[in-house]
Amino acid sequence: QSRVPDGGPAFINTNVVLQELTPNTYNIVIFGCTDSTACNYNSDATVFDLTCTYPGFACDDNNANSVNDVYNAECICMGVVANYGCMDPTACNFNSMANVDDGSCIFPGGICDDADSTTLVDIIDLNCLCNGIPLVFNGCTDSTACNFNPAANTDDGSCILPGALCDDGDSLTINDMIMFDCTCLGMTPVMGCMDSTACNYDPMANVSDTNCIVIGSSCDDGNAATTNDVITVDCLCAGTEIVGVSESGTNEWGMYPNPTDGKVTIRSQQTIDQLIMKDALGRTVLNLVALSSKTIEINAGEFNSGVYHIMVVSGEIRSTRKLIVR
């Protein structure tokens, strides 16, 4: 139903538009864009050849200085001036104005040159700065220290070793020091006598209470019939008996510390069978029986402050001493 010009190629069926013959005329096939909305619409075209172009389609504006050439709304092929730079937003040198990536992106960890001859292995750090490792790197080089720095090559005297003083931030502790696990730990203060030669030496004490009772020091055995009372080698408070004054029988015993606000130890040369404690009004506040011991310990801290009288009964012998509770 259509004519092919002499010598022309045969048409593929899918590209041929069949037309009715017009009497006394020649029917000519013209390929082109038949879409009237396209930039290259050809009103003379009789056969659609898939060549239509529209605004936004890529093109070439024949300008070597422009990029991203496309047809605009007026169907004019135009590009934008090329702005070369790094277009990766994660790079240190990202250029938000760049429209052509020039492969210049720099990332943390990349090799660089900090222009410092005293450093080596220069790299880009996380702050996008070029830094190298100093040829002299100060730090603690002692591998047994808590702050050992394996990267240091020059010891700067900053090593922190177990046993060194520190501050654990707790105002209730004392003698804070670095432990073997490199933690800072202090001790809870325990008041007491820290003199190992004293009668009331406390091995658990770490703060001296200045109340140590040493042999030979003055004391009060609570016995009005004695004088020159002192602490004996047995840690008893004993005095010299005044001529003409004596108790029924004799039993040397003492107690310490006196005065006190806590535990009191009573030591006797003879076995104590009974211990009676009376207040200043003569009221019995403590009565311990069937003791059968030469050493008795009571907790005077359980009683109110004041003067008390301690009576020790050993068989038929009774003797009394004065105890001051603070």
Side-chain angles (χ1 to χ4, degrees):
Q1 297 296 316
S2 63
R3 295 182 179 179
V4 179
D6 292 340
F11 295 131
I12 299 173
N13 289 339
T14 56
N15 293 335
V16 174
V17 177
L18 300 180
Q19 300 174 333
E20 293 185 3
L21 295 176
T22 302
N24 302 318
T25 63
Y26 290 98
N27 290 280
I28 300 174
V29 174
I30 300 175
F31 291 96
C33 176
T34 59
D35 186 350
S36 62
T37 64
C39 291
N40 61 333
Y41 167 62
N42 184 356
S43 59
D44 294 329
T46 60
V47 177
F48 177 60
D49 61 359
L50 303 177
T51 61
C52 292
T53 57
Y54 301 90
F57 275 38
C59 60
D60 184 1
D61 65 359
N62 294 316
N63 183 355
N65 295 321
S66 66
V67 294
N68 302 328
D69 303 345
V70 294
Y71 289 103
N72 62 17
E74 288 77 30
C75 288
I76 299 173
C77 182
M78 295 185 64
V80 294
V81 176
N83 187 6
Y84 295 93
C86 174
M87 298 179 64
D88 189 333
T90 65
C92 294
N93 60 331
F94 168 62
N95 184 356
S96 60
M97 302 300 294
N99 53 32
V100 180
D101 197 292
D102 60 0
S104 65
C105 292
I106 299 174
F107 299 92
I111 297 175
C112 62
D113 182 2
D114 64 0
D116 186 348
S117 60
T118 65
T119 62
L120 46 82
V121 193
D122 302 342
I123 60 172
I124 303 295
D125 63 21
L126 294 178
N127 296 317
C128 290
L129 300 175
C130 182
N131 287 310
I133 300 176
L135 297 178
V136 175
F137 192 85
N138 294 319
C140 176
T141 60
D142 187 343
S143 60
T144 64
C146 295
N147 60 332
F148 168 61
N149 187 348
N153 53 33
T154 302
D155 196 286
D156 60 1
S158 65
C159 292
I160 300 174
L161 297 169
L165 298 179
C166 61
D167 182 1
D168 64 0
D170 187 349
S171 60
L172 300 180
T173 61
I174 60 173
N175 302 330
D176 303 345
M177 68 174 58
I178 302 296
M179 300 291 103
F180 284 103
D181 61 355
C182 290
T183 59
C184 181
L185 189 64
M187 296 184 297
T188 301
V190 177
M191 302 290 291
C193 175
M194 298 178 65
D195 185 350
S196 60
T197 64
C199 294
N200 61 333
Y201 168 62
D202 185 355
M204 301 301 294
N206 53 37
V207 179
S208 178
D209 61 0
T210 68
N211 288 326
C212 290
I213 300 175
V214 296
I215 296 172
S217 61
S218 299
C219 61
D220 182 1
D221 64 3
N223 186 355
T226 63
T227 186
N228 299 325
D229 303 342
V230 295
I231 301 298
T232 68
V233 293
D234 298 323
C235 287
L236 301 175
C237 181
T240 302
E241 185 174 324
I242 301 174
V243 177
V245 179
S246 66
E247 293 181 322
S248 63
T250 302
N251 178 26
E252 292 297 336
W253 64 276
M255 55 186 170
Y256 63 88
N258 185 16
T260 183
D261 57 3
K263 292 183 178 180
V264 177
T265 300
I266 298 171
R267 290 183 179 178
S268 171
Q269 291 182 345
Q270 297 186 25
T271 300
I272 299 174
D273 299 317
Q274 183 180 7
L275 185 147
I276 301 172
M277 180 175 178
K278 294 185 178 183
D279 62 15
L281 298 178
R283 296 174 297 187
T284 299
V285 296
L286 181 65
N287 187 5
L288 303 177
V289 297
L291 297 176
S292 298
S293 176
K294 292 185 178 182
T295 302
I296 306 296
E297 186 178 84
I298 63 174
N299 188 5
E302 297 178 352
F303 304 99
N304 296 327
S305 300
V307 178
Y308 293 83
H309 297 279
I310 305 295
M311 175 184 290
V312 171
V313 180
S314 299
E316 299 298 325
I317 302 174
R318 296 169 178 265
S319 57
T320 304
R321 304 283 188 272
K322 181 171 61 178
L323 173 65
I324 298 175
V325 179
R326 292 181 298 191

